[in-house]
């Protein structure tokens, strides 16, 4: 099933051929929530009670043509966004995975399809896109084993871990400045339930800037697998329904972001996420793939 | 005003060693979670809830403090943004270190009387307490200027930024975000009761021995600058917490069976316990290696920082 927020944050699902949005407001309005921020998380928490009703409604209701709605971020304010750092083998050039590492990304930074990444005026070396597979937690997970990890996964979504390079004290952990600026977490267009993603460990991640394909890699190149990642993260902090785990990027293909850019992101079955870039100072960086960055990250 | 969460996360007003229940009266608030309740009160405090709470306290029968089980006043803040190395180390530094900070997992929060659990699966070189002034956001702050910072502050709370050292890579996530690593409380004190947040004494004891004893006047980047900087990166929302950093002079190991107390002028005393099923042992008392290193008296980092 493909879950969406649309227009003024109505909850809906896509029909089978993905051409129409079916408004599920009446089915889901009884779920206690404060606003869009926590609504999807609460639905995920109570999923077993709603899944079959949504499936039934999907067949009965006509829906609205997809082109007539404005899609929103499927999880506008997750409880947490946990990101994996340097978690790819860089197209197999590394002999082994780098030491496992990650960071928390600002959950208020989420934007959705059609929204705009607003680059801050800070003196950075460069702003990069990082296309990532976003995983959505389905059940409270604390100290889980790798063997049971997938049973805690609710679904997947396209994610872009927008990054600012060169800020903060040298040698220190500067993920806050590097990753957490407002609007630096584009996600969507849908949240796709796990049953529709047969092999998340072998799927494709693509990202285009202004139509030029920059990133194109398989999640089979991941350093620490999805089960290993979830076991490690849950050994540190409790994962809750609706939390996002961004599984890291392959740096072979990162490129600059600058004013006016259109960024598109696609993984089979997850739809295409399109966002814009705004940068008031209109600074310019080389366009296309950042080969120096790619070389630094290769084994 | 001093706000508490207690028992099954009822919101209460603390006054004269008694607690007045607020949740049962504030039925108009849509609060699926306890944090939603406190967030709603914080968001509309000046316009509505300051007066409402006083009115409720005039009507309901208070409960003696010793009959309630206190919980953290912010059970699960939307964000915990923490400052890194933000003190002059009792004046040892000539100038503040470069601004830096990190996000700490909001899942880490525990309250009065709860237990910091040292994670058995993580072989840290040592676990430290870090007593800090916790700043609670009252109004949404996005790219605000320093002179407006205090307008966005709702109140203050004792906060202990418990830290694991020497995990590799030594990232803030791994160091700071373990479950139970965010003791907070016992209550949340509104800003009007804190005359000068930049002149508060922060004390922390382990098993009755004083370890940290410093003043917020030693802060490197002061509260207005800190809020300006953080809000230039992340939007701060009502109920978010800023941990304003610690003075490393006085940090020390914590280990199984320890009792940690901390107190900031006017913010009450927060007491938590420590449990470590592995019973790892470190020396007791202050760690002078980290103190000397951060203060610049020694160029030699602690052994755990040398990788």
């Amino acid at each position: 099933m493909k879950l969406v927020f649309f227009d003024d944050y109505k909850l809906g699902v896509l029909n089978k051929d993905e051409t129409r949005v079916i408004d599920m407001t009446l089915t889901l309005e009884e779920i206690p929530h404060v606003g869009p921020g926590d609504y999807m998380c609460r639905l995920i928490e109570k999923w077993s009670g709603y899944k079959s009703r949504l499936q039934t409604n999907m067949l009965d209701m006509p829906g609205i043509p997809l082109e007539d709605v404005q899609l929103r971020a499927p999880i506008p304010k997750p409880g947490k966004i946990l990101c994996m750092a340097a978690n790819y083998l860089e197209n197999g050039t590394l002999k082994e995975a780098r030491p496992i590492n990650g960071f928390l990304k600002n959950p208020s930074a989420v934007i959705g399809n059609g929204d705009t990444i607003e680059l801050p005026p800070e003196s950075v070396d460069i702003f990069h896109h990082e296309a990532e597979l976003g995983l959505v937690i389905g059940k409270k997970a604390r100290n889980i084993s790798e063997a049971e990890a997938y049973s805690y996964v609710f679904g997947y979504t396209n994610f872009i871990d927008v990054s600012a390079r060169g800020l903060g004290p040298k040698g220190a952990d500067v993920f806050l400045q590097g990753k957490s600026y407002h609007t630096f977490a584009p996600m969507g267009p849908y949240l796709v339930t796990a049953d529709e993603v047969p092999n998340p460990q072998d799927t494709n991640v693509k990202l285009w800037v202004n139509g030029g394909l920059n990133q194109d890699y398989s999640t089979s190149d991941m350093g620490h697998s999805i089960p290993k990642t979830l076991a490690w993260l849950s050994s540190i902090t409790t994962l809750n329904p609706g939390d996002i785990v961004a599984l890291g990027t392959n740096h072979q293909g990162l490129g600059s972001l600058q004013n006016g850019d259109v960024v598109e992101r696609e993984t089979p079955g997850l739809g295409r996420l399109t966002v814009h870039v705004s940068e008031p100072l209109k600074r310019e960086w080389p366009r296309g793939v950042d080969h120096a960055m790619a070389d630094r990250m290769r084994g | 005003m001093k706000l508490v969460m207690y028992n099954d996360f009822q919101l209460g007003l603390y006054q004269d060693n008694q607690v007045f229940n607020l949740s049962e009266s504030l039925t108009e608030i849509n609060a699926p979670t306890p944090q939603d309740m406190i967030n709603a009160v914080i968001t509309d405090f000046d316009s509505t809830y300051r007066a409402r709470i006083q009115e409720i306290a005039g009507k309901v029968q208070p409960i003696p403090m010793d009959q309630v089980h206190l919980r953290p006043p912010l059970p699960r803040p939307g964000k915990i943004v923490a400052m890194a190395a933000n003190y002059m180390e009792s004046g040892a530094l000539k100038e503040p270190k470069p601004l830096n900070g990190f996000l700490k997992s909001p899942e880490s929060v525990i309250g009065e009387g709860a237990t910091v659990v040292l994670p058995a699966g993580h072989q840290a070189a040592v676990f430290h307490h870090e007593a800090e002034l916790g700043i609670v956001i009252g109004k949404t702050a996005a790219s605000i200027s320093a002179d407006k910072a205090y307008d966005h502050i709702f109140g203050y709370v004792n906060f202990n930024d418990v830290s694991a050292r020497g995990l590799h890579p030594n990232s803030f996530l791994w160091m700071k975000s373990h479950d139970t690593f965010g003791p907070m409380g016992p209550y949340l004190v509104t800003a009007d009761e804190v005359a000068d947040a930049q002149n508060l004494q922060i004390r922390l004891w382990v098993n009755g021995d004083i370890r940290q004893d410093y003043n917020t006047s030693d802060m490197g980047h002061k509260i207005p600058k800190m809020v300006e900087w953080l809000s230039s990166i992340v939007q701060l929302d009502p109920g978010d917490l800023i941990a304003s950093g610690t003075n490393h002079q006085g940090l020390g190991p914590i280990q199984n069976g320890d009792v940690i107390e901390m107190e900031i002028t006017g913010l009450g005393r927060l007491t938590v316990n420590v449990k470590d099923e592995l019973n790892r042992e470190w020396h007791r008392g202050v760690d002078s290696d980290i103190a000397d290193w951060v203060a610049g008296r020694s160029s030699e980092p602690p052994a755990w920082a040398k990788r």
Side-chain angles (χ1 to χ4, degrees):
Chain A
M1 207 177 295
K2 295 181 173 68
L3 300 165
V4 295
F5 265 122
F6 67 100
D7 295 344
D8 55 344
Y9 291 93
K10 293 188 181 76
L11 256 176
V13 300
L14 289 198
N15 68 346
K16 268 272 183 293
D17 61 4
E18 296 171 28
T19 55
R20 303 174 87 83
V21 175
I22 298 151
D23 187 343
M24 295 295 182
T25 303
L26 290 177
T27 312
L28 301 174
E29 67 183 357
E30 69 202 32
I31 296 175
H33 65 281
V34 174
D38 62 335
Y39 201 177
M40 189 71 87
C41 302
R42 297 285 96 81
L43 169 60
I44 292 169
E45 200 173 13
K46 297 173 187 298
W47 182 243
S48 60
Y50 288 94
K51 182 182 171 186
S52 61
R53 285 162 70 183
L54 293 180
Q55 281 167 332
T56 308
N57 291 359
M58 263 175 78
L59 303 173
D60 292 349
M61 292 164 69
I64 313 155
L66 190 53
E67 62 269 21
D68 292 348
V69 305
Q70 182 181 356
L71 291 177
R72 306 286 185 173
I75 306 183
K77 179 149 187 324
K80 290 189 290 297
I81 303 176
L82 285 152
C83 298
M84 294 302 285
N87 192 32
Y88 274 82
L89 298 175
E90 304 296 328
N91 295 339
T93 61
L94 297 177
K95 287 201 181 60
E96 54 182 47
R98 290 192 162 89
I100 197 160
N101 199 16
F103 55 91
L104 286 158
K105 188 171 173 109
N106 171 17
S108 308
V110 169
I111 61 171
N113 192 56
D115 289 344
T116 300
I117 300 164
E118 290 164 21
L119 301 177
E122 264 66 23
S123 301
V124 300
D125 294 341
I126 194 167
F127 296 103
H128 276 148
H129 56 76
E130 294 191 353
E132 309 199 354
L133 180 61
L135 178 155
V136 179
I137 297 294
K139 291 188 295 190
K140 185 181 277 287
R142 171 70 191 147
N143 266 329
I144 63 171
S145 69
E146 293 185 39
E148 59 183 345
Y150 279 114
S151 70
Y152 291 86
V153 178
F154 178 79
Y156 299 90
T157 186
N158 292 307
F159 190 82
I160 306 173
D161 180 19
V162 178
S163 305
R165 309 291 182 197
L167 293 174
K170 291 267 177 291
D173 173 334
V174 292
F175 285 122
L176 178 67
Q177 305 92 314
K179 302 289 194 173
S180 275
Y181 275 92
H182 208 59
T183 73
F184 271 29
M187 163 201 306
Y190 330 124
L191 164 52
V192 180
T193 52
D195 56 297
E196 295 192 9
V197 183
N199 192 356
Q201 204 66 80
D202 187 12
T203 189
N204 178 266
V205 175
K206 278 193 177 68
L207 184 141
W208 298 259
V209 178
N210 304 327
L213 182 62
N214 278 8
Q215 291 188 267
D216 181 7
Y217 67 90
S218 168
T219 56
S220 62
D221 188 53
M222 208 178 276
H224 302 283
S225 67
I226 292 171
K228 168 86 181 164
T229 292
L230 295 182
W232 181 69
L233 290 172
S234 80
S235 77
I236 298 173
T237 180
T238 300
L239 308 176
N240 279 309
D243 283 359
I244 306 286
V245 176
L247 290 157
T249 202
N250 180 334
H251 296 74
Q252 309 305 306
L254 302 198
S256 68
L257 293 177
Q258 43 204 303
N259 188 53
D261 281 350
V262 177
V263 184
E264 293 163 288
R265 161 83 185 84
E266 205 175 283
T267 279
L270 302 187
R272 179 175 286 216
L273 168 69
T274 304
V275 291
H276 307 275
V277 181
S278 155
E279 200 272 296
L281 302 180
K282 301 194 167 43
R283 288 167 285 183
E284 290 191 43
W285 291 274
R287 297 187 177 271
V289 167
D290 185 340
H291 293 288
M293 177 76 177
D295 290 348
R296 278 200 301 278
M297 298 301 287
R298 252 199 305 272
Chain B
M1 212 172 261
K2 296 181 175 72
L3 299 170
V4 291
M5 287 276 178
Y6 69 99
N7 295 354
D8 59 342
F9 292 91
Q10 295 285 304
L11 180 67
L13 171 72
Y14 171 83
Q15 206 172 280
D16 303 328
N17 233 18
Q18 304 178 109
V19 174
F20 299 81
N21 184 290
L22 302 175
S23 290
E24 285 170 13
S25 303
L26 295 174
T27 50
E28 73 272 24
I29 294 179
N30 167 30
T33 70
Q35 184 67 40
D36 294 329
M37 173 63 86
I38 187 82
N39 284 355
V41 166
I42 290 172
T43 302
D44 293 319
F45 190 73
D46 289 336
S47 62
T48 307
Y49 291 111
R50 179 187 289 279
R52 275 278 277 145
I53 288 170
Q54 276 158 349
E55 180 200 313
I56 294 165
K59 288 178 187 162
V60 303
Q61 194 63 33
I63 315 159
M65 188 70 158
D66 57 10
Q67 289 177 23
V68 304
H69 177 192
L70 285 178
R71 305 286 187 174
L74 302 176
R76 198 205 168 285
K79 288 187 282 296
I80 301 176
V81 195
M83 295 298 288
N86 191 33
Y87 272 83
M88 306 301 282
E89 302 298 325
S90 304
L93 300 178
K94 287 199 181 62
E95 55 182 50
K97 291 179 189 284
L99 278 162
N100 201 20
F102 56 92
L103 291 161
K104 185 171 172 116
S105 175
E107 248 60 74
S108 66
V109 169
I110 61 170
E112 168 69 17
T115 299
V116 175
V117 179
L118 306 183
H122 297 276
Q123 299 305 317
V126 65
F127 297 94
H128 278 150
H129 54 78
E130 293 191 355
E132 308 197 359
L133 174 65
I135 301 170
V136 181
I137 296 297
K139 287 193 197 105
T140 297
S143 293
I144 61 155
S145 59
D147 62 312
K148 296 279 191 291
Y150 281 109
D151 300 344
H152 294 264
I153 294 175
F154 175 77
Y156 302 92
V157 63
N158 289 304
F159 190 74
N160 186 350
D161 180 20
V162 177
S163 306
R165 310 291 183 192
L167 293 168
H168 180 70
N170 201 19
S171 62
F172 283 125
L173 173 68
W174 211 341
M175 197 183 338
K176 305 286 197 175
S177 277
H178 294 273
D179 280 3
T180 76
F181 273 28
M184 173 204 295
Y187 33 70
L188 163 50
V189 180
T190 53
D192 57 290
E193 293 195 9
V194 177
D196 183 2
Q198 214 67 78
N199 182 21
L200 298 173
Q201 199 66 23
I202 299 182
R203 293 193 180 86
L204 182 143
W205 298 259
V206 176
N207 304 327
D209 295 332
I210 188 109
R211 293 260 186 92
Q212 292 185 270
D213 186 4
Y214 69 95
N215 195 281
T216 55
S217 61
D218 187 55
M219 213 177 263
H221 303 283
K222 305 286 198 245
I223 293 168
K225 173 73 190 166
M226 180 194 308
V227 175
E228 176 182 84
W229 179 68
L230 289 172
S231 80
S232 77
I233 303 172
V234 306
Q235 176 181 302
L236 302 169
D237 293 312
D240 284 357
L241 181 80
I242 298 175
S244 52
T246 203
N247 181 334
H248 296 71
Q249 309 306 306
L251 301 197
I254 54 175
Q255 44 207 305
N256 189 45
D258 280 353
V259 177
I260 310 174
E261 294 162 285
M262 87 164 271
E263 206 175 287
I264 300 179
T265 320
L267 305 188
R269 181 173 285 220
L270 169 69
T271 305
V272 293
N273 309 298
V274 181
K275 184 180 165 196
D276 176 15
E277 65 179 57
L278 300 180
N279 256 310
R280 287 166 280 194
E281 286 193 55
W282 292 273
H283 77 94
R284 298 192 175 268
V286 165
D287 266 351
S288 56
D289 55 353
I290 188 171
D292 291 345
W293 182 48
V294 179
R297 285 187 295 271
S298 163
S299 56
E300 186 75 359
W304 49 259
K306 281 179 186 164
R307 299 193 62 143

